[in-house]
Amino acid sequence: MAGQQFQYDDSGNTFFYFLTSFVGLIVIPATYYLWPRDQNAEQLRLKSLRRVHGRCLWYRLRLMKSQQSIVPTLKKAALLFGWAVFLLLAYKVSKLDREYQEYNPYEVLNLDPGASVSEIKKQYRILSLKHHPDKGGDETTFMRIAKAYAALTNEQSRQNWETYGNPDGPGATSFGIALPAWIVDQKNSMLVLLVYGLAFMVILPVVVGTWWYRSIRYSGDQILISTTQLFMHFMYKTPNMNMKRLTMVLTAAFEFDPRSNKEATIRPTDNIEVPQLIRELGNINVKKKEPPFCYPYSLKARVLVLSHLARMDVSEELEEDQRFVVRKSPALLQEMINVGCQLTMMANSRGGFHAPRLVTIENCMKLTQMIVQGLQESKSPLLQLPHFEEENLRYCISKKYKVRTLQDLVSLKDSDRRIMMRFLGEEKYDEVLAVLGSFPHITMDIKLQVLDDEDSNNITAGSIVTVTVTLTRKRMVDMFEKEQESSPCPGEEAANTEEAGDTSKAKAKVWQNKNKGAKKTAKSKKKKLTKKKATPAPAKTKQANGNVAGNEVTAAPSAAAVKEEEDEASDKGSESDEAEANKDSLSERDEDSDKQSDTEVDEVAGDDEEEWEALQQSIQRRERALLETKSKVTHPAYSLYFPEEKQEWWWLYIADRRDQTLVSMPYHVCTLKDTEEVELKFPAPSKTGNYQYSVILRSDSYMGLDQIKPLKLEVHEAKAVLDNHPQWDIPDTEEEDEEQEDSDGIEESDDEDEDND
C-alpha cells in the first residue's frame, strides 16, 4: 500500500515557483491600479479648460502640482523594478530541470511506441552489450535498460506500468513544500523563529490595530464621529441658526483641531497674524466663552473662513491653512445637512423636540455656495465672473439696464451688454462671455403621482406621494444663441415691420371679404327660407279662394276631390316615410352609441395599458439605478478662489415655506451631466384639503442659480377599507352545491356501472 512523504525543497526549485507566483500576484494588480494615468490626457483636459478656468485658483495649483510632483515617477520606478524581479524569476524557473518526468520504457530503449517483441529484444541486446558493467558501461544506465526491457516483456511489469506508470507498481505519494530546507535547519531555528514572531506578533497586530483605530473614528463620508456629534448637539440646541451662528458651528469641527487631525496646524505666528485679521474683519464674536467656539483652533478657522468670504489677502503661511479649511468645509456642511435631516425625521416620528428649521438647512446650502465662490451673502452674484469688481457694479444696476443677476445679464441684447460692460477690453469681455456661457441652465419637469395605487392621480390622506423631477442641464451659451435668434438686426426689424404691415392689410382685405361673403350667405339663406315658407302659400290661397269663391268650387267638385285625395295620399306617404326615417335614425343612434361605448372601452383599456407600461418602465429605471454606479464627475464648477477642482452638484427637495419645514429630505444630485430623473417621496397630509408646497433646486457651487417651483397638492379622503371583501366571501351554498355535484357524479357513475352489468 502506497504511503505519503513530505519533504522540503532541497534543491530550491519548487521555492522559485512559489516566489514567482507570489511576486506576480502583487505586481500585476498593482500595475493596473497604481500605474500613473496618461499624463498627456490630463494635460489635454487642462488645456481644453484653460479658456474658461484659466484664472481659477484650483487650475493654477493643478498646473504647479503636475510640474513639481515626482510621485508619478517614483510609482513608475517601483513598478518597473517589480516587473524586473518578476521576469527574472520567470526566466530562472524556465531554466530549471524538471524533477518529475513520466516513465516511458520506449524512450529508454530508443524505440517507437508499439514496437514488436522481436524489435524490443534486438534493441535490448544491442544496448546491454554497450552499457553492461562488465563491458565498461554505466551500471545505472544498464539497470534502467533492464527495467525497461522487463516492463515491455514481462506481463506483470507491463500491467503495472500501464496502470500506475511504474513497472514496480504503485509508489509512495510525495508532497513537496515550497520552502528551502535551510529554513528548518537546526542551525537557523532561532533566526527563523525571531522573524516569525516579529512578523506575526508585532508588525501584523500593530498594522491592523492602527487601521482599526483610525477607521472607527470616521464615518462613511470620512467625517470624524466626534464632529458629527458636535453638529447634532448644536442643531438640537439651536433649531433656528442664522449665518453667523452657522459659521461658528462649522469652524468648531474637530477636523481643524491639531489634536484630532494631523493635517491641521497651529503656528507660532498665529498669535500675531490672527488678531490682525480679527481687527480688519470687525465683530466676529471673539469674546464668546462658549466651548468649543473659544478654543484657538476654532477661532483661527473662523477667521480664515470669514477672510476667504471677504476675499482678503493673507500671508503665505496662513494662506496654506486657509486652503485646508476651505477645502474641508463643503464636506462638513454636507454632513451638517445630513444631521439636520436625521433630526427632522426623528422629530416627525417620535416628537418631543423641535426639528431644525428650514432656514437652518438652507443656510447650510447657501454657506456652501459662498465658500466655493468666496463671496459674502450680501454680495452680488455678478462678482462670480472674472474682471468684475465692486466699483463696476454701478454700470450694471443703473436705471437703464437694471442687471442684478446672472439671468439678467444673459437676457440683455449683445449690443446693450457690450455698452454696459464698456469698462472691459475686448479680450476681457470675451473671457467674461465664455465663463458666463459655461454656467449651467437647469430646467425642471415635475410629475406628481401615487405609485402602486389604482388611481395614481388621486392623492388620498396618508398615501405615499411620489414626485418625479426630471432635470435637464444646458449651458448659458445656449441661452445666448436663443437670445440672438429672438432679437434680429435693425434692418431685419424694419423689414419685418413692413412685412407685418402688408400682411395686416392683406388680412384686413381678407377679413372684409369674409364678412361680405358672410353677408351674401346670410342673404341667400334668408331667400331660401322665404322660398320654403312661400311654398305652402298656394294651398292657403286655394283654401281662401274656395271659401270666398264658392261658385268655383261647386262648379268643379270632381277636380277638387281628386286634388284632396292626392294631398291625403301624399300626406300619408310622407308620414310613412317619416316613420321609416325615424326607425332608421333610431337604429343609427343605437349603432353610434354602441360604437361610442366600444371606443370608450378601448380608450379605457388603452389608458390602463399606458399606465401599466409607465409603471413597468419606472420599476425598470429604479432597478437600473440601483445596479448602475454613475460617476460623480459632472462638470467642473467655475470658482476663482476655491483651492481644488469642484464638480457641479445640486440639492433637490420639497418644502413647506409657510411652515418652514421640510416635506421631503434633500436629495444630493451628484450625477447630473445632461439629464437626471429624481424621485422624491413623502407622506400626504392626514387631513384633506389643498396644500401649497415648493420644489426647490439649489446649487452647491454657484450663487444666484437656485430655482423654486410651486407644487399644489389636493388631498382627498382615503377610501374605507372593506373588512369583508366580496372576493373572499365564499357562501355556504357554493360548498353545498359542490358537494351535491360530487355526490351526483358518484351516483351517475354507479348507474353507468349497473347499466354495463
Side-chain angles (χ1 to χ4, degrees), residues 103-109 111 115-117 120-121 124 142-169:
Y103 181 75
N104 190 352
Y106 289 104
E107 291 183 0
V108 177
L109 297 177
L111 292 173
S116 61
V117 177
I120 293 171
K121 290 181 179 180
Y124 172 69
F142 178 76
M143 293 299 292
R144 291 178 64 240
I145 293 170
K147 184 177 180 179
Y149 175 73
L152 296 176
T153 55
N154 189 357
E155 191 66 26
Q156 183 65 31
S157 299
R158 187 181 184 88
Q159 186 177 359
N160 289 335
W161 173 66
E162 291 176 354
T163 305
Y164 304 107
N166 188 7
D168 298 331

Side-chain angles (χ1 to χ4, degrees), residues 534-601:
T535 49
K540 291 182 179 179
T541 54
K542 286 178 184 177
Q543 293 175 0
N545 292 331
N547 294 327
V548 175
N551 294 328
E552 294 180 0
V553 175
T554 56
S558 61
V562 169
K563 286 181 180 179
E564 287 178 359
E565 290 177 359
E566 289 178 356
D567 293 337
E568 290 176 358
S570 63
D571 292 337
K572 291 179 180 179
S574 63
E575 289 176 358
S576 63
D577 293 338
E578 288 177 359
E580 291 177 358
N582 291 331
K583 291 180 180 179
D584 295 337
S585 62
L586 289 172
S587 61
E588 289 176 357
R589 288 175 184 173
D590 294 336
E591 291 177 358
D592 293 338
S593 63
D594 293 337
K595 289 180 181 179
Q596 288 178 358
S597 62
D598 293 338
T599 54
E600 288 176 357
V601 171

Side-chain angles (χ1 to χ4, degrees), residues 73 290 404 715:
T73 306
E290 183 182 4
R404 298 181 181 275
V715 181

Side-chain angles (χ1 to χ4, degrees), residues 618-688:
S618 64
I619 292 172
Q620 291 176 1
R621 280 197 302 269
R622 286 197 295 268
E623 290 178 351
R624 257 186 269 115
L626 290 174
L627 295 175
E628 290 180 0
T629 54
K630 294 183 179 180
S631 173
K632 291 188 177 182
V633 178
T634 55
H635 301 275
Y638 183 84
S639 175
L640 288 170
Y641 296 95
F642 199 69
E644 69 178 4
E645 185 176 2
K646 175 77 175 63
Q647 301 297 321
E648 290 179 7
W649 293 344
W650 305 83
W651 286 293
L652 183 66
Y653 58 98
I654 302 173
D656 188 350
R657 301 188 68 82
R658 187 184 65 180
D659 295 340
Q660 285 292 306
T661 56
L662 280 174
V663 177
S664 73
M665 297 302 108
Y667 182 83
H668 206 190
V669 184
C670 303
T671 57
L672 177 58
K673 288 187 177 180
D674 298 318
T675 57
E676 186 76 15
E677 190 175 275
V678 180
E679 288 185 353
L680 302 175
K681 296 185 178 182
F682 62 93
S686 58
K687 295 182 180 180
T688 59

Side-chain angles (χ1 to χ4, degrees), residues 517-535:
K519 289 179 181 178
K520 289 180 180 178
T521 54
K523 289 179 180 179
S524 63
K525 286 181 180 179
K526 286 181 180 178
K527 287 180 180 178
K528 288 180 181 178
L529 290 172
T530 53
K531 286 180 181 178
K532 287 181 180 178
K533 290 179 180 178
T535 49

Side-chain angles (χ1 to χ4, degrees), residues 152-350:
L152 296 176
T153 55
N154 189 357
E155 191 66 26
Q156 183 65 31
S157 299
R158 187 181 184 88
Q159 186 177 359
N160 289 335
W161 173 66
E162 291 176 354
T163 305
Y164 304 107
N166 188 7
D168 298 331
T173 304
S174 177
F175 294 95
I177 301 176
L179 292 174
W182 60 265
I183 289 182
V184 294
D185 193 356
Q186 189 175 4
K187 299 178 181 178
N188 305 323
S189 59
M190 293 301 295
L191 180 62
V192 173
L193 186 62
L194 181 63
V195 171
Y196 269 84
L198 186 64
F200 292 100
M201 297 180 68
V202 178
I203 297 177
L204 184 61
V206 168
V207 171
V208 174
T210 304
W211 168 80
W212 176 251
Y213 176 72
R214 289 181 179 177
S215 62
I216 62 174
R217 295 173 61 237
Y218 291 90
S219 64
D221 298 326
Q222 296 302 309
I223 303 296
L224 287 170
I225 302 294
S226 54
T227 299
T228 305
Q229 295 172 351
L230 177 76
F231 291 164
M232 186 166 291
H233 168 74
F234 282 106
M235 294 196 83
Y236 174 80
K237 183 180 178 181
T238 314
N240 193 0
M241 284 193 191
N242 57 15
M243 197 64 72
K244 184 180 289 187
R245 175 77 174 181
L246 189 64
T247 306
M248 295 173 65
V249 175
L250 169 66
T251 53
F254 291 101
E255 272 76 4
F256 307 135
D257 189 357
R259 295 172 297 179
S260 302
N261 189 3
K262 294 182 179 179
E263 297 182 20
T265 55
I266 295 292
R267 308 176 189 275
T269 56
D270 294 344
N271 296 327
I272 301 173
E273 296 178 348
V274 171
Q276 184 178 356
L277 287 175
I278 291 174
R279 286 192 295 270
E280 294 178 5
L281 289 169
N283 184 20
I284 60 170
N285 292 336
V286 180
K287 297 181 180 180
K288 197 170 187 64
K289 300 301 181 182
E290 183 182 4
F293 304 139
C294 59
Y295 294 163
Y297 81 89
S298 176
L299 183 61
K300 177 182 177 180
R302 194 189 322 158
V303 169
L304 293 178
V305 168
L306 294 176
S307 61
H308 169 73
L309 297 180
R311 296 186 176 182
M312 295 171 55
D313 294 331
V314 295
S315 63
E316 294 182 0
E317 294 180 350
L318 281 182
E319 186 177 8
E320 185 179 352
D321 298 339
Q322 187 183 53
R323 291 173 185 173
F324 166 73
V325 172
V326 170
R327 195 185 302 116
K328 286 281 186 182
S329 295
L332 293 172
L333 287 167
Q334 177 60 37
E335 183 68 15
M336 201 178 295
I337 294 172
N338 296 337
V339 168
C341 295
Q342 293 174 10
L343 290 174
T344 302
M345 290 189 291
M346 290 171 60
N348 293 337
S349 60
R350 300 179 186 177

